[in-house]
Amino acid sequence: MNNLDAFFNPTNIAIVGASANPEKAGYTILSNLVSIGYPKKVFPIHASEKEILGFPCYPKLAAVPDRIEMVVLVMPSKFIYEVMEDLEQRMREKGDVRVIVCAAADYAETKKEEGIRRQACLMETARRCGIRVMGPNCIGVIDNVNRVDTTFVETLLPKESRGKRGGISFISQSGSVAASLLMIGASQPAPISLNKFVSIGNMADVDFIDLLNYFEEDPDTKVIGIYMEGYADGARLIKNMARIARKKPIVVFKVGRSEIGAEAANSHTGSLAGADQVYSAAFRQYGVIQVDTIEELMDVMQAFNSCVLPQDERTFVLTQAGGPGIYCTDCIEAGGRLKMPVVSQDTKEALRSCLLSMASVCSPEGYADITASATVAHHVDSLRIVLEDSSVSNVIFITVLPTFLPREELANGLVQLLKGEGWMQKKPVYVCVMAGNYALPACRILEANGIRTYDTPRSCVRTAERLTEYASFLRRKGDSPIE
């Protein structure tokens, strides 16, 4: 646990391999620190440049007069030997560097003798100096609250979304998956600002367990997301996950599940994927939520961040469109984890009274089709009636926006109901607004107010299953989240 704080809130950062060329990673890292508004000092290290992006350059780490807590290595890996000599000189003179983010590749992951030697040089020097290392072969670290971004990717996150305090902290063994998730998050109707983001690469030092334990105690982390290929000590990893999952949800997208995928994982980061059946069984036993796609990873992390946990699996389907509603019930039946409730006679009568005569109420039980002619009032009032029924623990709400239905008015009505009347803190509501770019004006309003929207009924069902699964685990362990 020593020094991990400096990955997320370092006093001054030096970039070894900084570049004035916008097509180089060393330029992008510096640019990202400027873009995110890093409030402390940045020192580009370059043998000949005098200045990059307005920052004075230094030829060596040892030449920087100010304190440095983080060093980012982005130079070609063949220079690691002389850079480590420079680092050791600095540590003898100032002893200030606490962490290294090694963003370069061509180390031990190559399985080649020279790559292994380079990684050994990096790690032996770091250990002698008491420095923690992220990577090598990673894309960096982001802390949106402290405005740190040492990645060399374009996150696409708008400036106004930087510095927002989100509850999701994410660990990725793959740089490209990590970068993709950042871009997917930034492309949501209301861009997602992660709390902390870590690409761990080869895990020569800092690994899953280090970061899980750190996020366990981090007050800003509400949910932990993981992209995982493999880990050498699976039993130890599961033991730590089992403890943490009783406090905070852990959502894992594990790949290398097939024989071919396991071989590919080993060649990618040098990680042995391990027996998929063993991991999956352990995840189920200890309350770790396993997802099957990147899209589901994003959906479930956001749901844990924004939704209250459900009392149980009873899930009402309220739809404005027959086809998507039927699709939703098929998904519920196929999944087998959710149950459609029998609501009270009073609830059924209230729905019939507030809806048009052609609406279908509770045929089947736990399902209502308010029809394509439904107005904004029909949408909002029927949802309120369903939420008020004590036999309903979750609601999947589906609407396919016709041209005659005011999109922004509907979104604002739902915000008033779910946020203004406090239902977001009482029961999970999974809002499916279909479809495509036409729905964006409504989705932007909802998501800007913390109400996650989904593209398909299946996404709603899968996410509801995951939250229900976790809530059930906590109740079985005596840690019920329901007050």
Side-chain angles (χ1 to χ4, degrees):
M1 294 297 290
N2 261 352
N3 296 341
L4 290 198
D5 280 338
F7 283 112
F8 306 106
N9 192 20
T11 298
N12 305 339
I13 300 172
I15 303 170
V16 181
S19 174
N21 183 348
E23 296 181 359
K24 298 288 188 180
Y27 179 93
T28 304
I29 292 172
L30 193 56
S31 176
N32 281 345
L33 284 166
V34 172
S35 175
I36 201 172
Y38 176 65
K40 300 168 189 175
K41 295 181 180 180
V42 180
F43 305 108
I45 308 299
H46 194 284
S48 58
E49 294 284 353
K50 300 301 182 187
E51 181 181 289
I52 302 174
L53 287 176
F55 295 96
C57 293
Y58 295 85
K60 288 184 161 188
L61 288 167
V64 178
D66 293 83
R67 179 176 178 82
I68 301 171
E69 287 194 342
M70 175 187 282
V71 172
V72 180
L73 304 180
V74 70
M75 76 290 168
S77 60
K78 64 183 180 181
F79 296 116
I80 190 67
Y81 306 106
E82 59 194 79
V83 171
M84 289 299 98
E85 288 180 8
D86 177 28
L87 176 63
E88 287 207 85
Q89 180 184 343
R90 180 174 186 92
M91 292 300 286
R92 285 193 298 268
E93 295 172 357
K94 294 187 179 294
D96 54 355
V97 177
R98 298 175 63 196
V99 298
I100 292 172
V101 175
C102 187
D106 201 15
Y107 287 88
E109 79 280 357
T110 64
K111 311 289 195 305
K112 296 177 182 177
E113 183 178 345
E114 179 56 25
I116 294 169
R117 283 184 64 239
R118 291 168 182 170
Q119 185 160 308
C121 174
L122 167 65
M123 292 311 305
E124 288 166 8
T125 304
R127 290 186 182 110
R128 282 196 300 271
C129 296
I131 297 171
R132 300 303 305 268
V133 176
M134 196 74 71
N137 187 31
C138 71
I139 66 168
V141 174
I142 296 175
D143 186 308
N144 272 306
V145 175
N146 292 315
R147 296 184 180 271
V148 175
D149 184 350
T150 67
T151 69
F152 54 84
V153 298
E154 173 53 74
T155 65
L156 303 179
L157 195 66
K159 189 172 183 180
E160 60 270 17
S161 297
R162 298 286 201 174
K164 289 187 177 179
R165 192 177 295 274
I168 301 170
S169 290
F170 182 69
I171 311 165
S172 180
Q173 211 165 352
S174 161
S176 57
V177 168
S180 298
L181 186 131
L182 285 173
M183 295 176 188
I184 291 169
S187 302
Q188 301 297 304
I192 298 168
S193 175
L194 299 178
N195 171 34
K196 293 177 175 64
F197 165 94
V198 183
S199 166
I200 54 178
N202 293 358
M203 294 190 289
D205 175 23
V206 177
D207 63 9
F208 285 122
I209 292 176
D210 290 317
L211 290 163
L212 281 165
N213 292 341
Y214 186 83
F215 292 156
E216 176 185 10
E217 303 301 328
D218 176 30
D220 293 328
T221 297
K222 186 176 178 182
V223 53
I224 302 168
I226 295 176
Y227 166 88
M228 185 171 80
E229 295 174 4
Y231 188 75
D233 191 348
R236 182 166 162 258
L237 176 64
I238 293 298
K239 182 179 179 181
N240 280 268
M241 284 183 164
R243 183 191 71 253
I244 296 165
R246 298 185 65 154
K247 303 176 185 178
K248 298 179 180 183
I250 301 172
V251 185
V252 177
F253 176 37
K254 186 186 177 301
V255 299
R257 302 177 70 174
S258 66
E259 185 176 341
I260 295 174
E263 183 179 350
N266 189 26
S267 67
H268 179 216
T269 56
S271 298
L272 298 176
D276 178 60
Q277 297 91 334
V278 174
Y279 271 110
S280 295
F283 290 159
R284 285 193 299 272
Q285 180 178 354
Y286 296 114
V288 177
I289 305 302
Q290 186 171 12
V291 297
D292 298 321
T293 66
I294 293 175
E295 294 81 7
E296 188 182 358
L297 174 67
M298 181 64 76
D299 285 340
V300 175
M301 287 193 304
Q302 288 184 81
F304 275 119
N305 187 42
S306 61
C307 290
V308 65
L309 291 177
Q311 291 277 357
D312 53 43
E313 70 277 7
R314 294 174 297 173
T315 305
F316 196 99
V317 178
L318 183 67
T319 182
Q320 171 263 3
I326 297 166
Y327 174 34
C328 187
T329 60
D330 282 347
C331 292
I332 289 174
E333 181 74 16
R337 294 182 179 89
L338 305 177
K339 294 181 180 178
M340 296 171 67
V342 178
V343 298
S344 70
Q345 198 60 39
D346 287 345
T347 296
K348 293 175 184 178
E349 290 302 322
L351 285 171
R352 292 188 183 104
S353 296
C354 91
L355 295 172
L356 297 168
S357 59
M358 71 276 283
S360 172
V361 175
C362 295
S363 180
E365 294 287 354
Y367 176 89
D369 180 353
I370 66 176
T371 79
S373 299
T375 64
V376 169
H378 291 139
H379 281 77
V380 174
D381 293 343
S382 61
L383 179 54
R384 180 185 292 106
I385 290 167
V386 169
L387 286 167
E388 288 173 347
D389 192 287
S390 61
S391 66
V392 174
S393 298
N394 309 267
V395 179
I396 295 176
F397 176 84
I398 306 166
T399 185
V400 181
L401 299 173
T403 55
F404 54 81
L405 186 69
R407 292 168 289 180
E408 291 89 348
E409 183 182 335
L410 172 61
N412 286 321
L414 293 173
V415 168
Q416 174 56 34
L417 172 66
L418 299 177
K419 188 176 181 180
E421 297 182 20
W423 283 105
M424 286 178 64
Q425 285 73 50
K426 299 174 185 176
K427 298 180 181 182
V429 179
Y430 306 93
V431 179
C432 177
V433 184
M434 302 172 72
N437 288 339
Y438 184 75
L440 277 178
C443 293
R444 288 192 183 107
I445 292 171
L446 289 162
E447 297 209 1
N449 284 277
I451 302 167
R452 170 71 171 148
T453 63
Y454 300 84
D455 295 328
T456 68
R458 185 178 185 276
S459 297
C460 293
V461 172
R462 295 289 284 174
T463 305
E465 288 175 339
R466 301 312 188 203
L467 266 68
T468 300
E469 176 186 338
Y470 183 67
S472 175
F473 163 76
L474 291 183
R475 281 191 294 273
R476 291 197 308 273
K477 296 300 179 183
D479 298 329
S480 173
I482 309 302
E483 296 182 354

